[in-house]
Amino acid sequence: MLALPALTVTKVTVGNSTVILDIRYTRQLLRCPCGWSTRAVHSRSTRRWRHLDCFGMKTVLQGEIRRLSCRACGRVVTEEIPWARTRARHTIAFEQLVAWWTQRSDRTTVATALRVQWKSVTAIISRVVAEQLTDARFDGLTRLGVDEISHAKGHRFLTVVVDQTSGATLWVGEGKNAATLGTFYELLGPERCERIEAVSMDMAYAYPAATRKATNATICWDPFHVVMHLNKAVTATIRWSKLTKTGLPLSGDEARDLRRALLKKPSDHTDTQAAVLKRHQRSHHAIWRAQQLKERFRGLYQLDNPTHATAYLERWLASACRSQIRPMVKVSQLVRDHKEGIIASVELGLSNSRLEGTNSKIRLLNHRGYGHHSANTFIPIIYLACAGITTRLPWEPKPIVTSPRPTA
């Protein structure tokens, strides 16, 4: 019934909604987690492991566990047993069940349903993630995406690194400065850093500094953040045109409709917003010209042939400078300073769209758990849900991996 290898049940005790099974390990050979084995026993102790429930009652395995003096490690360690992980007080089958539920629900619900402590769920998730999240996920990386996300009040941020090819979350660190991202590149190693071709990010200063220091990758500025600066410039044009008394008189409702229309795609305009824009189009007003410059810049990311991006951007910069609209002239200088990264994002087709999707999932995980006390308890949850870790129920069969048949 237990379906656990290399043990026999010597006694069964039932009481207080708990079944205690006294077990005996049948293998005489002691094995260290490093792989070294011996028959010499250093000491013995009794330990308990929580197992899957039986007939609605908590099932606990109680047995003797041995310690050995490992010659390879040079220290005294506890023997490796097949039904539980090292230093765990739950069987592997029970931890699989906890991990499967935690991917789909919050930890409080899992702890209540499975009758374990909240801290135990956190420890189980950390062990499952540490076992499955190996350094092999860093092999073959060529394109990355980096972004930050707030996980708690008080300007507490996490740095998230995503593989642009697979969309899996590679690494999550506490903070959003250059040192935080530098920790990831140190973990990656010099050889794998040299293979990175491009990294997409927003237009902050911390992440580019760490990326240029550790790699020779091309930095691609995220189109959303670039257009965001253009939208701010268009909004600033409304205030600028009023201050210089070159604008048209705007009522409160008209100003609101105009501001909303300026930040939308032309295909998303309502009839009222389209009418307001048409009024400014007839007058060829500065606000209208600023909006047209912004829409022409958005056309940079819609080119049929990305190789024309450089010439297209140069023409746009010339038009923005000739417009004599102070906010647009100012933002054109920002675009000129980041011209290489903008063109690279167009030519390589890179953006932070995958990261925005990952960030939405991270926010959902945070709201689902009603917040988290610290980043150390939240990061394993992110890995479990976003790093491509596959969990299965204990009674599900293991997937059969077949090697491809050799061809002649």
Side-chain angles (χ1 to χ4, degrees):
M1 290 177 63
L2 294 176
L4 298 177
L7 62 80
T8 58
V9 179
T10 60
K11 184 181 178 181
V12 179
T13 305
V14 181
N16 195 19
S17 300
T18 304
V19 178
I20 300 177
L21 304 178
D22 291 341
I23 60 174
R24 180 173 59 86
Y25 193 27
T26 58
R27 291 181 182 173
Q28 300 297 324
L29 194 65
L30 287 76
R31 185 176 297 277
C32 176
C34 72
W36 189 81
S37 59
T38 182
R39 290 182 180 273
V41 179
H42 181 271
S43 61
R44 304 171 187 267
S45 62
T46 302
R47 181 175 294 183
R48 287 187 173 189
W49 299 270
R50 172 74 185 279
H51 193 45
L52 299 175
D53 294 352
C54 180
F55 300 108
M57 304 179 72
K58 293 193 295 184
T59 303
V60 178
L61 307 182
Q62 178 177 275
E64 187 181 75
I65 191 167
R66 302 166 293 182
R67 304 178 72 196
L68 67 147
S69 180
C70 181
R71 295 180 182 177
C73 299
R75 56 194 178 97
V76 178
V77 295
T78 304
E79 68 173 326
E80 188 180 38
I81 52 177
W83 62 82
R85 294 181 173 91
T86 305
R87 298 182 180 179
R89 297 299 185 269
H90 305 82
T91 62
I92 294 177
F94 186 83
E95 292 187 348
Q96 286 179 338
L97 182 64
V98 171
W100 189 90
W101 273 112
T102 308
Q103 274 191 332
R104 294 156 177 82
S105 182
D106 61 280
R107 284 179 293 181
T108 302
T109 302
V110 175
T112 304
L114 300 181
R115 292 179 287 185
V116 294
Q117 294 183 358
W118 188 86
K119 293 182 179 180
S120 298
V121 177
T122 303
I124 289 172
I125 296 169
S126 299
R127 284 194 294 268
V128 172
V129 169
E131 184 181 79
Q132 298 198 31
L133 208 65
T134 62
D135 286 344
R137 70 186 189 276
F138 297 142
D139 296 338
L141 293 177
T142 56
R143 296 186 176 187
L144 304 177
V146 183
D147 201 2
E148 77 279 353
I149 183 172
S150 174
H151 72 96
K153 293 189 295 185
H155 299 284
R156 297 165 65 183
F157 289 87
L158 297 175
T159 295
V160 183
V161 182
V162 170
D163 183 6
Q164 290 281 17
T165 304
S166 65
T169 301
L170 297 172
W171 184 82
V172 181
E174 187 175 3
K176 64 168 187 176
N177 50 25
T180 303
L181 186 58
T183 304
F184 166 73
Y185 289 128
E186 291 178 3
L187 184 65
L188 207 60
E191 295 183 359
R192 286 183 286 207
C193 285
E194 291 179 358
R195 300 190 185 99
I196 298 177
E197 299 174 356
V199 182
S200 66
M201 59 187 69
D202 55 24
M203 301 177 71
Y205 294 100
Y207 294 154
T211 302
R212 293 190 181 101
K213 182 179 179 180
T215 70
N216 295 322
T218 301
I219 294 178
C220 302
W221 304 120
D222 178 41
F224 173 82
H225 290 86
V226 179
V227 176
M228 179 184 67
H229 289 284
L230 270 294
N231 282 329
K232 291 181 179 179
V234 172
T235 305
T237 303
I238 299 177
R239 298 190 296 268
W240 174 80
S241 62
K242 286 182 178 180
L243 291 175
T244 56
K245 298 182 180 181
T246 59
L248 296 177
L250 296 175
S251 63
D253 294 339
E254 187 177 6
R256 184 190 64 245
D257 292 335
L258 176 61
R259 185 174 290 105
R260 291 177 179 177
L262 294 175
L263 303 180
K264 282 185 177 182
K265 298 178 182 178
S267 58
D268 296 338
H269 290 158
T270 63
D271 295 338
T272 303
Q273 293 168 354
V276 172
L277 281 180
K278 191 172 183 180
R279 177 189 175 191
H280 288 274
Q281 179 183 6
R282 287 196 300 265
S283 63
H284 204 63
H285 186 255
I287 300 175
W288 164 258
R289 290 187 286 120
Q291 195 265 354
Q292 288 298 103
L293 282 171
K294 186 258 294 185
E295 289 301 321
R296 284 178 55 192
F297 184 86
R298 288 182 64 251
L300 174 68
Y301 298 104
Q302 302 168 4
L303 292 175
D304 295 332
N305 190 351
T307 58
H308 298 162
T310 302
Y312 186 98
L313 185 58
E314 289 293 344
R315 290 194 299 269
W316 184 90
L317 289 171
S319 300
C321 291
R322 289 195 303 266
S323 67
Q324 297 182 354
I325 303 173
R326 188 179 302 170
M328 299 306 297
V329 173
K330 184 177 179 180
V331 78
S332 68
Q333 185 59 47
L334 176 69
V335 172
R336 189 180 298 276
D337 295 339
H338 296 79
K339 182 174 66 174
E340 294 182 1
I342 294 173
I343 294 174
S345 66
V346 176
E347 294 178 345
L348 298 177
L350 278 185
S351 68
N352 274 13
S353 56
R354 286 186 180 272
L355 278 155
E356 295 302 330
T358 301
N359 288 347
S360 298
K361 194 170 185 179
I362 291 174
R363 293 187 189 96
L364 176 61
L365 294 173
N366 200 21
H367 295 326
R368 189 176 71 182
Y370 297 97
H372 294 79
H373 295 154
S374 66
N376 293 331
T377 60
F378 187 34
I379 289 175
I381 298 287
I382 298 174
Y383 282 135
L384 187 67
C386 305
I389 294 178
T390 302
T391 60
R392 60 181 182 87
L393 294 170
W395 47 83
E396 291 180 346
K398 294 182 179 180
I400 300 175
V401 180
T402 58
S403 58
R405 183 175 299 177
T407 57

